[in-house]
Amino acid sequence: MREAFRRVHGTDPEGIWAAPGRVNLIGEHTDYNDGCALPIALPQHTLVAARRRQDGRLRLHSAQGDGPVLDLHVERLTAGAVTTWGAYPAGVVWALREAGHPVGGADLHIDSTVPAGAGLSSSAALECAVAFAYNDLYELRLDAPALALIAQRAENGFAGVPCGAMDQLASACCTEGAALHLDLRAGTHEQVPFAPEAQGMSLLAVDTRVKHDLGDGAYARLRAGCERAARLLGVAALRDLGPEDLPRAAELLPSALLPLVRHVVTENARVARAVAHLRAGRVAVLGPILTDGHISLRDDFRISCAESDLVVDTALAHGAHGARMTGGGFGGSVIVLAEEDRVDWIGEAVTTAFRKAGHQDPHLLPVSPAAGARRVG
């Protein structure tokens, strides 16, 4: 990273920061409904080498883009002004300034091992790495949750994706060997021990290679539907509903909105069950909860795809404890919980099934709970 920074920017960086992607074990599309979620951080991460500038310029370079340096000026950053990948790091600087923090320019060089468009929060990893770098460079003294909310503000207000805060909080606040129990309404988080390998199990992420773009409007429509349903039911958010409220919701809501409510209500309940099992050390019991979550996302939210369903069905047929799509949907990745000695067999079976169906080979990523954002150099 230091050598690459010197090649691009002609000087040494002041430091290097890292932020991970994430896998959400359970709790999908609950964050913007004031609900709960249970993500882990991935070993795959985004690195940012950075150095302050005194002239107000923000110069961005990505090893993945392999293109010229994107040269911006921090005082001219406005929402929607940057439409390339640079919107995510530039949005963090914009969000910091919008929040009243006295930050100026910087030279940044970025490299990442988080697959883009795979539902593993590559954008949140990028935003959090930049936020942590700026926090240290400009001595802002913000804690990890505050930096995560700055990163979310960047994605919402600058990049134009109406996501909740779960991805950024996971990237910023996760710890190694634990899942992060998030309560988005209360603004709290708790580390819940999660070490599947200690019980002879592994977690496999399967990137279907079906790219998704949460900025294309589908995600926003889902969120708007949930918010409309909450208004019609007279509650602040769908978090306020329990399973006992579903019959009343069926009477009051248009037929198109009821499945959205049903998913959010049952998904929050699945998070609670998953946390209870992990606290008791019952990792294998998480499997059926994952599968139930996939069925809900497939049938009620309707955001799965043929490739994701094929991964789930094939994994279960070959002995997985459970599997589900993870992330915002419309493609991306599936997580599979299985006995360690079955993971390779399951991965081979999924690849074979994809080839028979005429799909591109999936990308198999064994994952384990990793550390959140931090300075690494």
Side-chain angles (χ1 to χ4, degrees):
M1 285 295 289
R2 292 184 181 278
E3 290 176 1
F5 188 93
R6 282 194 291 268
R7 286 197 302 271
V8 173
H9 295 295
T11 186
D12 290 324
E14 293 183 62
I16 302 170
W17 290 262
R22 69 94 190 94
V23 151
N24 192 21
L25 296 178
I26 197 72
E28 217 67 77
H29 288 270
T30 53
D31 55 353
Y32 57 78
N33 288 293
D34 281 359
C36 297
L38 192 66
I40 64 170
L42 296 177
Q44 292 77 18
H45 54 262
T46 294
L47 290 171
V48 171
R51 185 179 185 86
R52 284 168 294 178
R53 295 185 64 95
Q54 303 302 318
D55 58 3
R57 291 165 67 194
L58 178 63
R59 303 180 75 247
L60 308 171
H61 183 264
S62 169
Q64 279 63 54
D66 195 29
V69 173
L70 182 60
D71 201 337
L72 306 168
H73 200 289
V74 296
E75 292 185 355
R76 298 173 192 161
L77 293 175
T78 57
V82 184
T83 57
T84 64
W85 67 270
Y88 297 102
V92 171
V93 181
W94 169 84
L96 285 168
R97 290 173 62 85
E98 285 281 299
H101 299 292
V103 299
D107 287 334
L108 304 181
H109 173 69
I110 298 156
D111 200 353
S112 183
T113 57
V114 184
L120 301 177
S121 294
S122 58
S123 60
L126 174 53
E127 291 155 355
C128 287
V130 174
F132 274 70
Y134 256 77
N135 190 51
D136 289 347
L137 290 175
Y138 283 94
E139 299 180 350
L140 302 179
R141 297 182 175 85
L142 299 174
D143 63 13
L147 291 169
L149 294 180
I150 287 290
Q152 182 206 11
R153 173 64 177 145
E155 188 144 352
N156 290 172
F158 197 87
V161 180
C163 63
M166 185 267 290
D167 292 350
Q168 291 81 6
L169 285 165
S171 185
C173 301
C174 277
T175 60
E176 187 175 357
L180 189 71
H181 182 206
L182 291 169
D183 185 324
L184 280 303
R185 168 168 285 173
T188 59
H189 64 273
E190 174 194 4
Q191 307 293 340
V192 181
F194 178 58
E197 66 281 356
Q199 297 187 26
M201 281 171 275
S202 292
L203 195 65
L204 178 69
V206 181
D207 178 4
T208 65
R209 304 294 183 96
V210 178
K211 298 300 181 183
H212 73 313
D213 180 4
L214 297 186
D216 67 0
Y219 187 100
R221 288 190 292 274
L222 287 169
R223 179 168 183 164
C226 290
E227 292 170 350
R228 182 180 174 221
R231 288 193 301 271
L232 291 173
L233 293 171
V235 294
L238 296 185
R239 161 70 177 272
D240 295 310
L241 304 175
E244 69 280 3
D245 296 307
L246 290 176
R248 173 175 167 267
E251 295 176 357
L252 297 177
L253 292 178
S255 59
L257 295 183
L258 180 61
L260 302 184
V261 175
R262 185 166 53 230
H263 167 73
V264 174
V265 169
T266 58
E267 188 80 344
N268 277 320
R270 282 186 283 272
V271 174
R273 294 204 308 274
V275 169
H277 287 309
L278 291 187
R279 284 174 178 158
R282 298 187 293 263
V283 175
V285 186
L286 189 65
I289 297 175
L290 301 184
T291 304
D292 287 347
H294 181 78
I295 293 169
S296 182
L297 290 166
R298 183 194 68 196
D299 297 347
D300 281 344
F301 248 51
R302 298 176 180 259
I303 58 173
S304 188
C305 63
E307 291 84 351
S308 296
D309 294 342
L310 182 58
V311 175
V312 172
D313 293 344
T314 304
L316 294 175
H318 287 77
H321 289 294
R324 78 171 190 93
M325 56 149 286
T326 186
F330 316 104
S333 293
V334 171
I335 53 171
V336 178
L337 180 67
E339 298 295 324
E340 190 171 2
D341 59 5
R342 284 182 174 265
V343 168
D344 288 345
W345 184 43
I346 290 171
E348 291 172 3
V350 169
T351 300
T352 299
F354 266 48
R355 290 173 179 170
K356 287 182 177 179
H359 304 318
Q360 184 180 6
D361 280 6
H363 185 201
L364 307 178
L365 292 166
V367 298
S368 57
R374 63 209 182 276
R375 184 169 183 163
V376 296

